Amino acid sequence: MSELAHPSSARTAEVTRNTRETRITVRINLDGTGQSKLLTGIGFFDHMLDQIARHGMIDLDVHCEGDLHIDGHHTVEDVGITLGLAVAKAVGDKAGLTRYGHSYVPLDEALSRVVIDLSGRPGLHMDVKFTAGSIGAFDTQLTFEFFQGFVNHALATVHIDNLKGHNAHHQAETMFKAFGRALRMATTADPRSAGVIPSTKGSL
């Protein structure tokens, strides 16, 4: 396995992660306009990553060649890992950031809440009961694996709750949209604490 983080400015990052199971490159710009170029081989997963980009106002480029002849597990999990590494690199020491973010997002009958803390301590707390096992070629169980990979490598605490929903597509979409919006809030600069690490510890 190789993980190569390329030099970038403070708010952008490019990370390449290659294993025997996946070959992934992620490029992000936290100060983008929500543009995305996505190629994971799983159509619905690309659709969800697009929600993160558009609602997070993050320019996101993800290219993944994975072992989809087995299933989508490695692809989805490893994209989460690589995106987490890229976000961690882009935020740097987190000086001047808001640090916390939250969002409620509805879609018809579905409603989800996501709360993020760029805490430096990885933790995922997810309460979601999907009403279907798959959406297109996407196994809904892999939603957890994506976010677990993200939090472990972005070093963030993330709470995800699907509060309502009967349609699995709507459940997933509200979660990914809310995640994008919460991440946008957490990574936004706080003008009142410019240059200050948002922690009494002095580091995150």
Side-chain angles (χ1 to χ4, degrees):
M1 180 179 72
S2 66
E3 296 177 1
L4 306 173
H6 302 286
S8 62
S9 62
R11 301 282 294 183
T12 65
E14 178 177 334
V15 177
T16 295
R17 184 177 188 273
N18 294 326
T19 72
R20 293 180 179 179
E21 298 165 339
T22 58
R23 294 165 299 283
I24 302 171
T25 297
V26 170
R27 300 179 184 88
I28 61 169
N29 176 4
L30 295 178
D31 300 309
T33 60
Q35 302 300 307
S36 64
K37 296 179 182 178
L38 307 167
L39 184 60
T40 67
I42 304 174
F44 184 77
F45 186 40
D46 287 348
H47 181 45
M48 293 301 97
L49 293 173
D50 190 40
Q51 303 308 317
I52 294 175
R54 289 179 182 273
H55 295 276
M57 294 300 287
I58 296 167
D59 289 345
L60 180 61
D61 186 342
V62 178
H63 184 274
C64 176
E65 297 176 10
D67 54 1
L68 295 179
H69 62 286
I70 297 175
D71 67 7
H73 189 116
H74 299 140
T75 290
V76 174
E77 180 181 24
D78 289 4
V79 168
I81 289 170
T82 312
L83 179 61
L85 290 167
V87 168
K89 180 173 176 58
V91 298
D93 65 4
K94 304 170 191 172
L97 293 188
T98 300
R99 173 179 168 177
Y100 300 98
H102 63 273
S103 181
Y104 286 81
V105 169
L107 175 56
D108 296 343
E109 88 297 344
L111 174 66
S112 292
R113 174 183 62 214
V114 175
V115 183
I116 294 177
D117 176 11
L118 299 177
S119 59
R121 299 183 304 279
L124 175 63
H125 306 274
M126 190 168 169
D127 186 2
V128 178
K129 297 176 179 64
F130 277 108
T131 60
S134 62
I135 308 167
F138 181 80
D139 181 346
T140 53
Q141 295 182 92
L142 299 183
T143 307
F144 178 89
E145 303 303 330
F146 169 78
F147 286 113
Q148 186 70 77
F150 176 86
V151 301
N152 284 345
H153 293 81
L155 303 179
T157 299
V158 178
H159 288 252
I160 301 174
D161 297 283
N162 176 234
L163 305 175
K164 298 179 181 179
H166 301 297
N167 181 290
H169 186 132
H170 294 171
Q171 289 177 291
E173 190 161 332
T174 56
M175 282 183 273
F176 279 85
K177 285 179 176 177
F179 175 77
R181 293 189 65 86
L183 184 62
R184 177 182 175 183
M185 180 185 293
T187 58
T188 296
D190 182 348
R192 296 180 64 189
S193 62
V196 177
I197 303 292
S199 171
T200 55
K201 298 181 180 68
S203 65
L204 287 170

